[in-house]
Amino acid sequence: MLKLGVNIDHVATLREARYRGRGFGEPDPVEAALICEAAGAHGITAHLREDRRHIQDRDVWKLREIVKTRLNLEMAIATEIIAIALRLKPDIVCIVPERRLEVTTEGGLDVVANEKAIADTRKKMNDAGIEVSLFITPDEKQIEAAARTGSQFIELHTGAFAEEFQVGRESKDEGREPDAVPSTLGSRPSTELERLISGAKQAHALGLKVNAGHGLNYANLSALHRVPHLVELNIGHSIISRAVGVGLEKAVREMLALMQGYRGTM
Ligand code: PXP
């Protein structure tokens, strides 16, 4: 069965927009993690960024306490974060590149250029009983290098696939011939989907377990069914966005109920 890891960073982003530096606030990513698990999610993913723009240290410690499924800590290779991970002992770490100016993790990890540092970190994590995944684009050389580091998993970056899907849909909506359409939608092959398929096959043949994530949503998910050997998808933004859509009506009704008793007297 294909597993779902829910990335709860975006819950923390919303909290930090109002409560940055306060040590409390809503919405609470820890509460969100409990809801995701109760709904059947197979894991919880959180990215402790060096700039702490969303998830805070207190969040990851609380998550470690309450997460009953699997805690996946996304992290850059940074001395401070490595030390935290080794003490925290998440079930798995996903090593990602981090650039301060990016809105979210934009590119894949360059394993070819940083093979030694990644292999060293991989070993430290494995020695502490923590599995390791590398977030990479479906590039042959990166996948080969990922296997050489001894990592257990790769997470295939699906951002380009999601982007291609979106462009295809927009062209279709505008009545134009789509530039690129994922193969389940049209007759022309999707380059990015094909890249994911061959990347997954290559990784599997090299003994790597294959996860995927970034930009996956309710529209493009079914196209991804063509990618073989997938173990887990990590999805954040679209699930949290959908939660606003499906939850807003209830939230407004609850607020209106609280306002019911107002009589306007001093
Ligand atoms: N996987 C990794 C490694 C990521 O960095 C992210 C984004 O934080 C995701 C998955 C989830 O991406 P999205 O929020 O677009 O679903």
Side-chain angles (χ1 to χ4, degrees):
M1 187 190 36
L2 183 56
K3 294 181 181 163
L4 171 65
V6 181
N7 182 316
I8 53 165
D9 296 348
H10 300 288
V11 178
T13 299
L14 188 53
R15 178 192 61 194
E16 295 302 300
R18 171 61 63 96
Y19 294 97
R20 172 157 290 281
R22 304 286 302 279
F24 66 92
E26 63 178 12
D28 179 6
V30 175
E31 202 180 308
L34 287 172
I35 295 169
C36 294
E37 284 193 321
H42 304 93
I44 300 298
T45 297
H47 185 174
L48 186 66
R49 295 184 75 107
E50 280 185 273
D51 64 10
R52 306 299 198 274
R53 69 173 67 161
H54 40 52
I55 292 290
Q56 305 296 310
D57 296 55
R58 69 178 190 277
D59 296 323
V60 295
W61 288 104
K62 194 76 193 151
L63 285 168
R64 180 62 298 180
E65 246 175 67
I66 63 102
V67 166
K68 299 235 167 7
T69 53
R70 259 164 83 77
L71 178 62
N72 172 18
L73 182 74
E74 282 182 14
M75 52 171 266
I77 296 202
T79 312
E80 182 210 5
I81 306 290
I82 291 173
I84 292 172
L86 290 171
R87 280 189 286 124
L88 183 72
K89 293 197 193 307
D91 299 277
I92 182 167
V93 292
C94 181
I95 301 178
V96 299
E98 231 176 73
R99 282 176 283 272
R100 294 216 171 199
L101 293 180
E102 68 192 2
V103 178
T104 176
T105 313
E106 279 160 11
L109 199 59
D110 190 346
V111 191
V112 175
N114 301 288
E115 194 172 320
K116 182 164 181 329
I118 292 170
D120 289 350
T121 306
R122 192 283 302 159
K123 186 170 181 326
K124 278 185 199 151
M125 294 297 155
N126 283 174
D127 288 350
I130 305 164
E131 287 192 295
V132 173
S133 179
L134 306 181
F135 185 51
I136 56 174
T137 53
D139 174 274
E140 225 178 289
K141 294 263 174 303
Q142 297 294 342
I143 295 169
E144 280 167 10
R148 286 197 300 272
T149 64
S151 299
Q152 287 71 48
F153 285 84
I154 56 165
E155 179 170 326
L156 287 174
H157 194 317
T158 49
F161 154 77
E163 191 57 34
E164 187 187 61
F165 190 98
Q166 189 60 30
V167 169
R169 261 168 60 113
E170 281 167 10
S171 315
K172 229 175 153 212
D173 289 349
E174 289 161 14
R176 288 188 283 117
E177 176 70 8
D179 299 328
V181 180
S183 50
T184 50
L185 278 190
S187 51
R188 276 206 271 158
S190 149
T191 343
E192 292 303 332
L193 188 59
E194 294 306 327
R195 286 183 74 208
L196 290 169
I197 292 169
S198 56
K201 284 181 183 164
Q202 181 197 355
H204 179 73
L206 289 168
L208 287 159
K209 287 182 262 188
V210 186
N211 294 338
H214 203 93
L216 298 178
N217 60 34
Y218 295 83
N220 63 27
L221 206 277
S222 60
L224 206 74
H225 282 230
R226 284 196 50 221
V227 180
H229 310 303
L230 291 175
V231 176
E232 181 170 296
L233 302 181
N234 280 306
I235 307 182
H237 190 267
S238 66
I239 293 180
I240 304 308
S241 303
R242 176 102 182 112
V244 174
V246 298
L248 198 53
E249 184 183 337
K250 183 162 186 260
V252 170
R253 285 188 197 288
E254 285 177 5
M255 187 56 79
L256 284 169
L258 290 173
M259 292 160 63
Q260 280 302 304
Y262 181 67
R263 295 287 170 262
T265 48
M266 293 286 285

